[in-house]
Amino acid sequence: MNPAPAHGPVAPPAPAVRTVLGDIAPADLGVCDAHDHLFLRSPQLPGQELADAGAAAAELAAFRAAGGAAVIQWTPYGMGRGAAELPRLARESGVRIVAATGLHQAVHYAPEVLERIGADPAGLFVAELTEGIGGSGPRAGMIKVAGGFHGLDRHARYTMAAAAEAQRATGAAIGVHLELGTGALDVLDLLCGELAVPPDRVILGHLNRSPDLAVHQAAAGAGAYLAFDGPSRAHHATDWRLPDALAALADAGYGDRILLGGDTTTAGARSVNGGPGMPYLLRRQRARLELALGEELVTQCLTANPARAFAADWAGTASGHRVTG
């Protein structure tokens, strides 16, 4: 008879949220803005770059004062993520920050930026998730990609295929920019159908901009997370439609699929510049949603849901970076 091993089987790693200061237990994430930007630049937004570290620090302080504890920055590769600044901002503000890898729509890049990536975007994504942004910076904690208006062009399909490969290698969640909130089911057909990404690793963004309740419930029923992110803009569905959309999801049993965020994309939209900014989610939207949905569900959407959505087992990730608390 063979002797019993001295030690039992090695337990799989516990799920963790990968922040710019290290991995944390999901329960430690706290009240979370599940989709926002501290730094961002795009040729589509000339003169409105989020590039001022001082303004980012002030925005985080305002968010913290409103009761916020964590921000997921969806700014991907090549769009001025401010990766070198993020750890310092997290330490000084006390707000946990998750950075992103991935790629946005091609229109947001100069051609030479995309050329730098070469033929292996998945390799770039995996390296930024496991080794660090730029090789020595903080590690990304999610993958960001983007669809188009009611469809998926060649660039979207190419980047989503790379995201799926990186997801399989690391376990990271994939956040998807839906153009004006459209194309959610096309994205799920590609990512979860053709590319076999687990639906609970997909976060569909901007669904507040297209209040199609049937699509919302179909996406939630498939197992994806649904992000409702940002106050109303002139060409979007207005805030007063949001409570009904979320109530319909909750009534259908999908309250655990809802995420809430701010999506600050221009300098003028920052609260420190007179806009709604990051605090708006907690200062205005939270109270409005609690009137319609109840405090318990809204708290779940701001805490337990993002903690689950952004946590991963981080397969293939080198050890030695984990922190707790």
Side-chain angles (χ1 to χ4, degrees), residues 19-37:
T19 80
V20 298
L21 295 180
D23 293 355
I24 64 170
D28 292 331
L29 189 64
V31 173
C32 180
D33 177 342
H35 181 173
D36 225 312
H37 303 274

Side-chain angles (χ1 to χ4, degrees), residues 3 10 78 82 134 141 153 157 260:
V10 177
D153 63 12
R157 290 179 175 276
L260 300 171

Side-chain angles (χ1 to χ4, degrees), residues 24 27 37 41 48 64 85 95 102 109 148 155-156 175 192 194 200 229 233 239 275 296 324:
I24 64 170
H37 303 274
R41 67 168 180 262
Q48 285 294 323
R64 181 71 168 171
E85 297 284 354
V95 176
Y109 299 95
H155 177 82
C192 304
E194 296 179 35
D200 67 350
D229 37 41
R233 303 172 192 176
D239 286 353
E296 181 177 356
T324 59

Side-chain angles (χ1 to χ4, degrees), residues 91-105:
R91 283 191 296 268
E92 292 179 357
S93 68
V95 176
R96 303 189 187 282
I97 300 172
V98 174
T101 186
L103 288 169
H104 207 326
Q105 297 162 333

Side-chain angles (χ1 to χ4, degrees), residues 18 21-23 130 139 317-323:
R18 178 150 291 169
L21 295 180
D23 293 355
T130 61
R139 292 186 293 179
T317 300
S319 61
H321 291 269
R322 187 176 180 85
V323 298

